Amino acid sequence: MGFNWLSEPRGDYYTRHFVPTPEAEGDRLILNLGPQHPSTHGVLRVVVEMDGEYIMKAEPVLGYIHRMQEKMGEVKTWRQYLPNMGRVDYLHALAWNWAYVGAVEKLAGIEVPPRAEYIRVITCELNRISSHLLWWGAYLLDLGAFTPILYAFADRERIMDILQMVTGSRLTYCYYRFGGVSADLGEGFIQATRDFLKQFKTRIPMFHDLVTGNMILRGRCEQIGVLPLEMARRYGATGPVLRGSGLAYDTRRAEPYSVYPSLDFQVPVGVNGDAMDRYDVRLAEMTQSIAIIEQALEAMPDGPHINPDVHERLKPPAGEVYYAVEGGRGKIGVHLISDGGPRPYRVKLRSPSFCNLQLFAELAQGTLLADAVSILGSLDLVIPEIDR
Amino acid sequence: MPGLAKTIKGLWSLIVGLGVTGVEFFRPQLTVHYPRKEVDNLATYRGHIDLVARDDDPLTPRCIVCRKCVAACPSGCIAIESRLVGAEPGGDARELSLAPGLIVTGSHAAPPPRQKIRREVAAFHLNYNLCSLCGLCVQTCPVQSLAFSREAYLCGSSRADFEFELLERLRRRAPAGGQRAA
Amino acid sequence: MTMTEIISHPLTKLVLGLVLILVFVGVNGLILVWMERKVVGFIQRRPGPYEVGPHGILQSLVDGVKLIAKQLVTPRGADRFLFWLAPMLSVTPVVICFLPIPFSPGLTAMDVNLGLLLILAFSGINVLALCAAGWGSNNKYALIGAARAVSQSVAYEIPLLLSVLCIAFQTGSLSLSAVAEGQSRGLLSWNLWVQPLAFVIFFISATAETNRAPFDLPEAESELTAGFHTEYSGMGFGLFFLAEYTYMIVVCSVATALFLGAHDGPFLPGPWWFVLKVYALILALMWFRWTFPRVRFDQLLNLCWKWLIPLGLANLLATALVLKLGE
Ligand code: SF4
Ligand code: SF4
């Protein structure tokens, strides 16, 4: 006996309104990309309605890795919430570290010694390079090139070794503390960073040779997923996704924090807003990060790496604060409300991936399946950050 | 013929790409063959926390059982059992017995010798399953009694394998024949 | 009948050849999988298989044992017959494709004068297998993969034929042995020098026909998880895998026979040269695969219809013209 489709429930809540119209029935295919699918790099699910290879309608379904990060903030003390920040966006953990620490410092009026500020810049930018490297490899993996990710990992491992020297971890860092950082940079760290930067500068041209100029890659990225600036604004896109569309909005420049105003770096922007521009922006950002780190290493003063006056059971005064930093994927915002108690009253995390993902439904409409994969990759999503 | 030029440039880009992988083919491998070799950066690795022994006594942790680390830990990994010890002047620390019969009141009996009472770790439980290696406990400890171990190669098949008794670990780690210092 | 008669009887030769080919296919499959994994390992600066046997040489054997030992699962709602027919259908014709390949003048399992045609015809059956696999699996990814496989194979068969025809025109025979015979007078007699364009077209089309990266669209894993073989486990998958690698040998053998002088070469005996050239071509295929991103489906077809077919036709016309004028 054959399989009876009618006796089976068809789809779930999210696919129900995807049921094709009677006239299209038979031609249309409802396909679930995910929650386990190689191109989503995590547990994201995209329901797509396809006509042949063309995507008629796409809708991301979230929440498969929702961990209640915001609620957790309400039940932990200000300090105990620190390790959570390394796990929101595990690829650029230090940016989240910074956003939270910065918000609390602003709320409680904690002063950060200058050396700590420079240490934060150096480590955060190193982390940004490693985040972009992983994106680069994973994106090309989406496009079917297997080798780049291994080359990217070779360099990423070195960054992780360097960051391990001071943080002790390799991925989910919990390094920044209220009023500074938990460990000072030693000579070994500085030397290793210098060596790495020197060597990494020679690697970037190799990356370009390997794929950037490649005609197959260009065919897969150019004029694909063109994101007009107006649309990027409408969805609140930030980071390389927004900059790829031509707006030089970088939190490090737009809402300067820490010592970034004293550092000299450019904000790379794209022209067309296609996947290729987003690609170029990220690769150019790696070069800029190198410049930032080099300047910061030069300018780093001596002194304490942490403000010793911060009380262990910190109780910031009642009030609200919002603090934003530029993460690898865009603007990371932390909004805290304090009632003067030992725990935050409310924590709101603004994750860039969440906003950037929303673009996808509109961008993917009418594209080929292969292009949709390319677009999804070019948005550089970190799924745990979307769901939080 | 810009079209043709573009095509030729495109084809050339393919050859350049092949060149890159071709060169990498002959370069030395980066893999560390694990069971035969080990990575060399374990010195900075942060494993689970461990107790630090007192300078004068490799069998006793520095810990003064202030329980600040317990309060600091976001994940509730640490549980400490303690006991009160009294140290007789010049003698061994021994458990302070507070049997009621010992205390004689209102008589001519000599007062009991004055004892310095302090708390000592009886057991220091760490549930490594929950630990996020944030380092808050290490940072909080007022007497630096906690430090990170370098245990990179832990493996186990059940949760119980990662519930450690740190005092025992400290004793096992102590140099062979390590006796209590007099 | 004497012993010699039995041995030289064509039927005996065919059976013997088939058995030898089966052994050859099996061993080659194992070696190729190992080789591919080593090559990609080296390109990516890692060791590749290393643990089983010296330098992991036995890895693919062990993997094969694992595949055989695995449970064969038929997915719910699948067409049982088609589902299990497909893997067998993909391996069998590939084996037959080996029959007319001239490893050396005496080492041809079946020297038919339509050898080329035989190979082209039987390799066409592979599409049917992919189609059956995609349809029979009752899986949407598999279905899309199968649809891709069909249009890709249909499209690329044309330039493949066009380039083969050039050689057939030139030698005036469809027998591979005859073609091989024609270029056994040293390096300069190879057809590669006469027909470089045909060689390039043949090689590109062959890559597409074998579904090798960068044209591996029917199994593009970032889009279709595993394409037409998404639902296969154990030896079902193993047979597809074996077929893919064997097919690679077939097309590279044909390319060698047609363009690279077949068994021609100094010092070493013919078959060695043949295998050496085949492996060199396969190495190139692997090199491509681990360097390039995957093309998109419409680009793949564009390449075929807008570039390869017109170029192939022009090449064929030019060949015919030159031959006619030269008469
Ligand atoms: S490192 Fe953090 S999570 Fe682990 S025991 Fe210490 S305070 Fe708890
Ligand atoms: S904070 Fe240090 S001294 Fe206090 S209980 Fe923990 S380990 Fe012992």
Side-chain angles (χ1 to χ4, degrees):
Chain A
M1 210 196 84
F3 178 64
N4 186 3
W5 279 109
L6 292 177
S7 68
E8 287 292 306
R10 294 188 78 176
D12 59 3
Y13 175 80
Y14 300 99
T15 48
R16 215 156 282 162
H17 57 278
F18 266 85
V19 172
T21 50
E23 63 266 24
E25 177 93 64
D27 281 353
R28 299 283 171 92
L29 196 65
I30 314 288
L31 192 66
N32 274 305
L33 292 182
Q36 281 90 29
H37 187 273
S39 74
T40 55
H41 299 295
V43 278
L44 172 71
R45 171 175 158 207
V46 184
V47 188
V48 290
E49 182 180 332
M50 313 222 323
D51 186 357
E53 289 259 334
Y54 283 92
I55 289 178
M56 294 287 115
K57 194 160 122 191
E59 197 176 288
V61 180
L62 314 180
Y64 288 91
I65 188 165
H66 183 53
R67 291 161 300 166
M68 293 187 279
Q69 295 278 15
E70 291 178 355
K71 180 67 190 171
M72 260 195 247
E74 296 169 23
V75 299
K76 296 198 181 285
T77 64
W78 294 93
R79 212 171 65 143
Q80 282 179 343
Y81 193 47
L82 278 171
N84 282 56
M85 286 297 110
R87 284 147 179 91
V88 182
D89 172 358
Y90 48 85
L91 295 182
H92 199 176
L94 285 176
W96 277 97
N97 268 239
W98 201 342
Y100 176 63
V101 165
V104 174
E105 281 160 0
K106 193 166 154 192
L107 186 62
I110 299 168
E111 210 162 300
V112 183
R115 185 176 173 87
E117 293 281 18
Y118 279 96
I119 293 177
R120 284 182 184 178
V121 169
I122 292 166
T123 47
C124 185
E125 293 300 325
L126 274 175
N127 201 185
R128 188 188 312 278
I129 295 178
S130 78
S131 160
H132 281 347
L133 274 177
L134 184 82
W135 166 81
W136 181 75
Y139 182 47
L140 292 164
L141 201 61
D142 283 347
L143 298 182
F146 298 87
T147 301
I149 194 165
L150 272 296
Y151 295 168
F153 266 51
D155 293 304
R156 189 164 169 270
E157 284 292 318
R158 296 193 58 186
I159 297 182
M160 297 203 304
D161 284 349
I162 292 174
L163 285 178
Q164 181 188 321
M165 283 183 195
V166 285
T167 65
S169 335
R170 294 176 74 77
L171 194 68
T172 49
Y173 309 110
C174 175
Y175 177 51
Y176 299 168
R177 297 286 190 266
F178 305 138
V181 294
S182 65
D184 200 3
L185 302 188
E187 261 318 304
F189 178 94
I190 293 172
Q191 197 47 47
T193 312
R194 288 227 162 92
D195 291 346
F196 167 75
L197 293 181
K198 207 163 129 223
Q199 186 256 1
F200 186 57
K201 275 189 212 159
T202 63
R203 294 278 286 181
I204 290 181
M206 186 274 260
F207 293 166
H208 283 301
D209 280 348
L210 179 61
V211 283
T212 309
N214 190 303
M215 72 184 297
I216 302 178
L217 178 88
R218 296 214 156 248
R220 291 296 305 275
C221 296
E222 272 171 359
Q223 299 306 318
I224 302 302
V226 177
L227 172 66
L229 187 54
E230 165 274 324
M231 186 175 151
R233 278 182 203 269
R234 187 149 45 83
Y235 280 99
T238 44
V241 177
L242 175 67
R243 292 196 282 277
S245 296
L247 183 68
Y249 180 87
D250 186 320
T251 315
R252 289 172 293 180
R253 283 283 185 244
E255 296 166 29
Y257 54 96
S258 186
V259 290
Y260 278 112
S262 68
L263 297 169
D264 175 31
F265 65 98
Q266 258 100 50
V267 179
V269 290
V271 185
N272 307 318
D274 56 6
M276 196 70 216
D277 274 349
R278 297 194 271 279
Y279 175 102
D280 285 338
V281 164
R282 290 203 181 88
L283 282 184
E285 264 178 29
M286 287 205 259
T287 317
Q288 294 304 325
S289 288
I290 296 178
I292 295 176
I293 298 169
E294 278 177 340
Q295 292 169 41
L297 281 175
E298 282 308 316
M300 186 164 63
D302 283 339
H305 65 275
I306 188 160
N307 182 343
D309 303 333
V310 183
H311 196 272
E312 281 165 16
R313 296 209 190 84
L314 183 74
K315 282 185 191 159
E320 271 186 55
V321 70
Y322 177 76
Y323 194 80
V325 300
E326 182 71 22
R329 270 143 281 280
K331 186 175 188 171
I332 292 172
V334 172
H335 186 176
L336 299 172
I337 304 179
S338 164
D339 57 0
R343 299 181 180 84
Y345 177 74
R346 174 79 172 91
V347 178
K348 164 83 183 105
L349 309 175
R350 186 230 186 254
S351 77
S353 291
F354 181 79
C355 300
N356 295 353
L357 171 71
Q358 311 309 323
L359 292 161
F360 178 71
E362 203 173 319
L363 275 186
Q365 210 159 22
T367 58
L368 285 163
L369 179 62
D371 286 343
V373 169
S374 170
I375 295 170
L376 195 64
S378 76
L379 295 178
D380 188 12
L381 303 170
V382 168
I383 313 301
E385 190 191 46
I386 298 173
D387 290 345
R388 296 192 290 285
Chain B
M1 295 268 282
L4 195 66
K6 210 177 146 205
T7 310
I8 290 173
K9 209 175 132 225
L11 290 176
W12 178 244
S13 75
L14 298 183
I15 295 171
V16 170
L18 283 176
V20 172
T21 42
V23 169
E24 296 289 315
F25 184 91
F26 292 104
R27 294 184 59 197
Q29 286 169 17
L30 295 170
T31 306
V32 179
H33 288 242
Y34 163 57
R36 297 173 203 94
K37 275 186 231 150
E38 288 187 10
V39 287
D40 54 7
N41 57 5
L42 287 187
T44 54
Y45 178 80
R46 221 161 67 171
H48 67 78
I49 53 168
D50 242 342
L51 283 171
V52 178
R54 286 164 61 150
D55 297 335
D56 58 346
D57 181 358
L59 290 179
T60 317
R62 286 184 184 170
C63 179
I64 51 172
V65 201
C66 66
R67 292 205 158 87
K68 274 186 165 181
C69 53
V70 181
C73 178
S75 324
C77 313
I78 305 173
I80 307 176
E81 287 170 35
S82 65
R83 58 171 173 247
L84 288 169
V85 291
E88 281 166 4
D92 269 1
R94 64 168 175 81
E95 210 151 325
L96 188 70
S97 55
L98 291 172
L102 252 180
I103 298 165
V104 190
T105 47
S107 77
H108 301 284
R114 238 184 120 76
Q115 289 183 334
K116 211 172 128 211
I117 300 172
R118 63 180 174 86
R119 270 178 192 285
E120 196 190 61
V121 181
F124 199 109
H125 300 287
L126 170 71
N127 190 344
Y128 190 41
N129 297 304
L130 308 177
C131 177
S132 57
L133 290 174
C134 60
L136 290 175
C137 51
V138 177
Q139 193 193 345
T140 310
C141 181
V143 291
Q144 279 85 47
S145 176
L146 292 175
F148 292 107
S149 67
R150 304 273 175 258
E151 297 273 9
Y153 302 114
L154 284 176
C155 72
S157 53
S158 82
R159 279 173 164 253
D161 293 344
F162 296 101
E163 283 160 18
F164 302 122
E165 218 289 274
L166 296 188
L167 192 62
E168 243 170 57
R169 277 181 56 88
L170 178 84
R171 301 241 158 99
R172 255 187 283 130
R173 223 173 39 227
Q179 294 298 312
R180 262 169 200 243
Chain C
M1 243 198 263
T2 62
M3 199 65 195
T4 4
E5 269 174 48
I6 292 178
I7 286 181
S8 58
H9 192 271
L11 206 65
T12 329
K13 220 176 151 190
L14 185 68
V15 171
L16 213 68
L18 267 176
V19 170
L20 279 181
I21 284 170
L22 278 178
V23 172
F24 181 73
V25 164
V27 172
N28 248 304
L30 295 183
I31 293 180
L32 275 184
V33 173
W34 174 79
M35 186 171 127
E36 169 127 50
R37 292 177 63 181
K38 271 297 191 200
V39 167
V40 50
F42 278 46
I43 283 182
Q44 298 173 347
R45 302 182 68 185
R46 52 192 184 80
Y50 198 78
E51 301 299 330
V52 193
H55 285 268
I57 183 92
L58 297 179
Q59 182 67 51
S60 26
L61 192 71
V62 177
D63 284 347
V65 170
K66 178 198 76 181
L67 283 179
I68 290 172
K70 269 190 159 182
Q71 189 190 358
L72 296 174
V73 184
T74 318
R76 198 163 55 146
D79 185 325
R80 282 194 86 90
F81 178 68
L82 279 184
F83 186 74
W84 289 115
L85 179 70
M88 289 176 240
L89 201 58
S90 82
V91 170
T92 334
V94 178
V95 174
I96 296 173
C97 284
F98 269 103
L99 285 179
I101 287 176
F103 287 93
S104 84
L107 203 63
T108 311
M110 196 175 80
D111 190 6
V112 283
N113 51 5
L114 284 178
L116 259 177
L117 215 59
L118 189 92
I119 291 180
L120 289 173
F122 272 99
S123 61
I125 296 180
N126 194 35
V127 193
L128 215 60
L130 303 196
C131 202
W135 178 254
S137 303
N138 185 29
N139 178 306
K140 293 169 185 174
Y141 292 118
L143 191 61
I144 299 175
R148 284 181 175 190
V150 172
S151 40
Q152 181 174 337
S153 296
V154 168
Y156 272 88
E157 225 134 78
I158 303 168
L160 196 73
L161 258 168
L162 287 176
S163 57
V164 168
L165 271 184
C166 293
I167 302 295
F169 272 24
Q170 210 183 312
T171 27
S173 164
L174 277 174
S175 154
L176 275 174
S177 310
V179 177
E181 214 43 56
Q183 21 178 2
S184 54
R185 275 163 288 103
L187 191 64
L188 288 179
S189 67
W190 293 6
N191 283 335
L192 177 64
W193 312 122
V194 192
Q195 296 281 8
L197 189 60
F199 174 70
V200 171
I201 294 176
F202 181 88
F203 204 52
I204 294 177
S205 311
T207 318
E209 280 280 294
T210 44
N211 302 330
R212 288 284 299 181
F215 306 124
D216 57 342
L217 292 159
E219 44 193 307
E221 80 293 309
S222 60
E223 297 151 30
L224 303 179
T225 56
F228 62 88
H229 61 65
T230 305
E231 290 287 359
Y232 284 90
S233 59
M235 223 31 214
F237 165 74
L239 285 183
F240 277 122
F241 208 57
L242 187 66
E244 183 188 325
Y245 279 90
T246 315
Y247 208 20
M248 243 163 84
I249 309 179
V250 171
V251 294
C252 288
S253 304
V254 175
T256 309
L258 287 183
F259 297 98
L260 297 183
H263 38 70
D264 175 49
F267 313 124
L268 287 175
W272 288 111
W273 271 110
F274 192 87
V275 171
L276 215 64
K277 288 172 193 168
V278 170
Y279 268 74
L281 282 181
I282 290 175
L283 202 66
L285 277 181
M286 290 175 181
W287 193 5
F288 292 164
R289 170 163 181 194
W290 298 105
T291 304
F292 297 138
R294 184 182 301 117
V295 300
R296 207 173 55 208
F297 194 60
D298 55 325
Q299 293 165 347
L300 175 85
L301 294 184
N302 274 349
L303 174 70
C304 176
W305 295 108
K306 291 191 182 162
W307 288 93
L308 297 185
I309 292 183
L311 278 177
L313 272 176
N315 197 30
L316 188 64
L317 275 179
T319 312
L321 214 66
V322 169
L323 281 177
K324 196 75 197 159
L325 290 180
E327 256 173 25

